Amino acid sequence: MADEKMMSQMSGKGGFIAALDQSGGSTPGALRLYGIADSDYNGDEEMFRLMHEMRVRIMTAPSFSGDKVIGAILFEKTMDGEAKGKPVPTYLWADRGVVPFLKVDKGLAAEENGAQVMKPMPDLDVLLARAAKKGIFGTKMRSVIANADKTGIAAVVKQQFEIGHQILGHGLVPIIEPEVSIKSPTKQEAEAILRDEIAQRLDAVPAGQKVMLKLTIPTVPDFYKPLVDHKAVARVVALSGGYSRADACEKLSHNHGMIASFSRALTEDLRVTMSDAEFDASLAKTIDEIYQASVVKA
């Protein structure tokens, strides 16, 4: 059973979710943006150590707190790491008031019918049990939709909800994330198919259980409002999907009930060479911008 205080915060408090879950494929790019070149480290172990240091710097910055950042999505190595001498999930909730989530997917399968389902997760039950013991509230898993193909979109949503029920079985709240590519030539049509597929699956969620949805900001403002209002949905969050932070925030501000869950858009102005004061000032400005887009609607 999900923690009631965390559920109350995630379903009702104003704010947004910080996505700090860059994995092996996206970490080099995130480090480059931060000012750490590929030549500055050797091998995955050193790469992930540098990424963890960046994430801890964000999480321990004075501006990073539950006042505006109500949740944070973690990479598995981050969940297993420490911040200020405490396990990261414990530190986030006890010291910062931020609800911890865990990215659980293992990446994407090859595209089929205009979409990419997730690769198999044979050790998921073991990971979920470990996450629950560490105080993780929920999980996140990502699929990608490139075209308005009903067969492909249906396959993505079916897999997302089947694994979502597995996650619910461990007392965790799944963030269902079927991302529609912002580069899709049929983005609006794909969103229409996706909304119908999700709505059907939500109707089958057992009474008393809730999921979260992480969706690309729709082409038509408030298009996902029926999902926001569904009784089985704790929250609908928006991914930035490659938009700049300014564009993502502007688009999000027209979607009532949706809050941000940004990754690159959160960290795009942070640099390793900044002093701690400069770092926190930059982060505070970004947090306020994303917070305003999440809670103040046009």
Side-chain angles (χ1 to χ4, degrees), residues 149-169:
D149 185 304
K150 187 168 176 26
T151 301
I153 294 172
V156 159
V157 176
K158 179 175 184 285
Q159 183 195 41
Q160 283 273 346
F161 274 86
E162 284 176 349
I163 297 172
H165 285 290
Q166 185 179 352
I167 291 161
L168 286 166

Side-chain angles (χ1 to χ4, degrees), residues 142-193:
R142 172 176 171 262
S143 313
V144 174
I145 296 163
N147 285 297
D149 185 304
K150 187 168 176 26
T151 301
I153 294 172
V156 159
V157 176
K158 179 175 184 285
Q159 183 195 41
Q160 283 273 346
F161 274 86
E162 284 176 349
I163 297 172
H165 285 290
Q166 185 179 352
I167 291 161
L168 286 166
H170 284 265
L172 301 171
V173 177
I175 299 179
I176 307 287
E177 185 184 5
E179 174 182 348
V180 176
S181 172
I182 64 170
K183 298 176 182 176
S184 171
T186 52
K187 179 175 179 285
Q188 187 173 341
E189 295 89 340
E191 289 165 350
I193 298 169

